[in-house]
Amino acid sequence: MTADTAGTESEPAAGGPGDRAREQRGWYFYDFACSVYSTSVLTVFLGPYLTSVAEAAADADGFVHPLGVPVRAGSLFAYAVSASVVLAVLLMPLAGAWADRTGRKKPLLAVSAYTGAAATAGMFFLDGERYALGALLLIVANASLSVSMVLYNAYLPQLAEPAERDAVSSRGWAFGYTSGALVLVLDLVLYSGHDSFGLSEAEAVRICLASAGLWWGAFTLIPLRRLRDRRIPPGGEGMVGSGWGQLVATLKDMRRHPLTLSFLLAYLVYNDGIQTVISQASIYGSRELRLDQTTLIIAVLLVQVLAVAGALGMGWLARIHGAKRTILASLAVWTLILTAGFFLPARSPGWFYALAAAIGLVLGGSQALSRSLFSHLVPRGKEAAYFSAYEMSDRGLSWLGPLFFGLAYQLTGSYRDAIVSLVIFFGVGFALLARVPLSRAVAAAGNPVPDRI
C-alpha cells in the first residue's frame, strides 16, 4: 500500500484488532528475514573464515596491508565491523530524515534490505586471499542492515499500542531467533557433512554465507507486502534537504526531552558491549579457546534456541517487575558472563556451551525490552527521526566496542584480554540506566505512562 492510503505518521495502525495483528505479523517477519545474517554470517562463519583468508594473505609478521595500512590479520574482522558502523552513521540520518519528511518508509526499507542481502550472497566469492573483498562485503552488508533497522523499528509505535509494545517487540526478537536457529541447523548439516556433499570445508562455509543473503531477500517480501506507509501530517511534506541536518535537529529536539537523551546514552554504552560480544564470540572461540567450527555452530544454535525463550521470558518478567529492572538484571548477568569467559579453559566445549546458554537467556530480552522502552520515550510524529538516533546507538555508534576489542588484541596478542575489557561497557551502562527516571521520561515525551515501566 502507498503513503496515501492511511492516516497520519503518528497514528497507530488503523482498523480493528485483526488488521493491527496482521500488520504486526508482517513486521515480525523482517526480524525473521534479516536475523540469519546476524547469526550465520556475523556471529558464526564470517569472523573465523575472513580471518583465515587474511592469514593466508598475511606477510611473515602476520600483517595484511589494506590501503597500505598494516593490520594484524586477527584484527581485520573487528576493524571491518567498526568501519561498517562508520558508514552506517553517515547513512542512517538520511534514512530517518527521508522517512519522516515523506512518510514512506517501505521503499527505503526495500532498497537497504536488498542491498544487504545482495552483499551477503556475494560472499560466496570470498576465497583464496580475497580478504579485501570480504571486508568490503561485510561493510556494505552491515551498513545496509543498520539502515533497514532504522525504518523497521520506526514502525513499532505505529502498529502497537503502548501497553502491548513490550510483548510485540519481544515477539519480533523471538521470530528472529527462531529463523536463526532453523538456518543454523541447516548450516550444521551442510558444514559437518560437507564431504558427503562433495564439498570442501571452505566451499561449505561460502554456501552458508551466501544462503543467508538469499534467505534475507526472500522473507523480506512478507513485511513489504503487509506493512503500511502512513501520510505525514499536513504541512510536513517535502523532500529531504540534509540527513545530518535532520539528525542535528533531532538531537536539538531531544534537548527538550533530556530524559530520553539520558536513556539513549545508557543504551549506547551497554548495547555497544552486547553487539561486540555477538560479533566477536566466534573469533574468541576459534582462536583463543581452540574450538572447531562445528562446536561454534552448536553453541550459537543453543544461543538461538534459548534466546527465543529468553526474549519471551524477559517480556513476562517486565510485566511483573518493569522493563527497567529486568534490563538492569540482565546487564549484571552480562558482566558475569564476560568474567567467566575470561577464565574458560581451551578445548572445553562443555564450558563454552554453558556460557552460550547464559548468553541466550539474556540476549534477546536485553535488546527487545530496550527497543520497547525507547518507543515510550518518542514524541508522536517523530518516530523515524528518533529511531534513527536510536539505531545509531543500536548499531551506528557500536563501533567503539569492536575497535576496543581489535586494539586490545593488536596490542596484547591475547583474545582473553580483549574479551574481558568489554566488562566496562556493561558496568557503565548499568550505572547510567539506573539513574534514568523512566516514568517521568515517558510523561515528558507526552505519552501515556504504563502501569509498570
Side-chain angles (χ1 to χ4, degrees):
M1 299 178 72
T2 60
D4 54 1
T5 60
T8 68
E9 180 73 16
S10 60
E11 291 175 348
D19 294 332
R20 189 166 70 249
R22 184 177 186 276
E23 190 173 9
Q24 288 172 0
R25 286 192 295 271
W27 185 79
Y28 300 150
F29 266 97
Y30 190 68
D31 255 322
F32 192 86
C34 70
S35 289
V36 296
Y37 169 82
S38 298
T39 54
S40 292
V41 177
L42 199 61
T43 304
V44 177
F45 288 108
L46 188 57
Y49 185 68
L50 180 57
T51 300
S52 68
V53 171
E55 288 173 344
D59 59 23
D61 296 321
F63 285 81
V64 292
H65 300 269
L67 303 177
V69 178
V71 173
R72 192 184 290 271
S75 295
L76 177 70
F77 177 70
Y79 289 158
V81 172
S82 288
S84 73
V85 173
V86 172
L87 177 60
V89 166
L90 298 176
L91 296 177
M92 287 191 295
L94 293 170
W98 191 86
D100 273 340
R101 294 195 183 190
T102 66
R104 302 183 67 224
K105 293 186 280 291
K106 276 207 298 186
L108 195 53
L109 176 61
V111 170
S112 55
Y114 284 108
T115 299
T120 305
M123 291 176 187
F124 178 79
F125 301 102
L126 175 59
D127 61 356
E129 298 181 358
R130 296 178 179 175
Y131 73 90
L133 173 64
L136 176 62
L137 291 175
L138 167 60
I139 290 168
V140 172
N142 241 21
S144 298
L145 178 64
S146 296
V147 170
S148 71
M149 292 302 291
V150 169
L151 303 145
Y152 168 70
N153 285 335
Y155 276 103
L156 179 58
Q158 298 173 343
L159 53 80
E161 300 294 340
E164 60 180 346
R165 285 181 199 164
D166 284 349
V168 170
S169 183
S170 295
R171 287 190 205 110
W173 283 105
F175 263 61
Y177 287 119
T178 299
S179 74
L182 174 61
V183 172
L184 275 178
V185 169
L186 300 177
D187 289 342
L188 179 61
V189 171
L190 178 65
Y191 179 83
S192 60
H194 60 82
D195 287 333
S196 62
F197 291 107
L199 300 171
S200 68
E201 182 177 325
E203 288 171 338
V205 170
R206 288 161 50 206
I207 290 173
C208 291
L209 293 171
S211 64
L214 298 178
W215 181 285
W216 185 357
F219 284 98
T220 295
L221 292 172
I222 298 175
L224 291 180
R225 287 180 61 87
R226 292 194 177 185
L227 292 173
R228 297 185 305 108
D229 279 334
R230 291 155 171 82
R231 288 198 305 265
I232 57 176
E237 296 85 351
M239 296 303 292
V240 175
S242 167
W244 274 99
Q246 178 71 22
L247 177 62
V248 171
T250 300
L251 293 176
K252 287 182 178 178
D253 187 72
M254 282 187 179
R255 292 171 61 185
R256 298 170 45 234
H257 304 285
L259 298 179
T260 298
L261 202 55
S262 296
F263 174 82
L264 263 184
L265 177 60
Y267 179 67
L268 183 156
V269 175
Y270 71 74
N271 184 67
D272 205 345
I274 293 174
Q275 295 296 325
T276 306
V277 172
I278 293 170
S279 66
Q280 305 304 317
S282 60
I283 290 286
Y284 184 69
S286 64
R287 289 300 187 269
E288 183 66 39
L289 302 182
R290 305 298 178 185
L291 301 172
D292 59 34
Q293 192 71 62
T294 299
T295 298
L296 296 178
I297 295 173
I298 294 173
V300 176
L301 180 60
L302 183 61
V303 169
Q304 300 305 301
V305 172
L306 291 178
V308 175
L312 299 176
M314 286 182 66
W316 175 76
L317 287 174
R319 290 195 296 272
I320 299 173
H321 302 290
K324 178 181 175 180
R325 290 181 178 178
T326 306
I327 293 173
L328 288 173
S330 76
L331 298 182
V333 174
W334 276 108
T335 301
L336 293 175
I337 287 170
L338 288 179
T339 303
F342 177 80
F343 293 104
L344 276 188
R347 298 183 178 87
S348 299
W351 287 110
F352 193 70
Y353 293 150
L355 203 66
I359 289 174
L361 290 174
V362 295
L363 175 60
S366 301
Q367 296 174 316
L369 292 178
S370 296
R371 179 171 63 185
S372 62
L373 257 186
F374 184 71
S375 73
H376 293 288
L377 308 180
V378 178
R380 287 198 171 187
K382 300 177 181 178
E383 290 86 359
Y386 271 60
F387 266 105
S388 177
Y390 174 86
E391 194 64 25
M392 289 180 72
S393 299
D394 188 5
R395 299 175 192 273
L397 292 182
S398 293
W399 57 270
L400 185 59
L403 180 62
F404 204 72
F405 186 94
L407 285 174
Y409 177 74
Q410 178 136 347
L411 293 174
T412 68
S414 169
Y415 284 113
R416 291 186 186 272
D417 292 339
I419 201 72
V420 79
S421 69
L422 301 178
V423 166
I424 190 171
F425 291 94
F426 296 101
V428 173
F430 183 101
L432 291 174
L433 179 60
R435 294 172 58 88
V436 180
L438 285 173
S439 295
R440 282 173 47 200
V442 174
N447 295 320
V449 180
D451 293 336
R452 291 189 182 276
I453 190 75

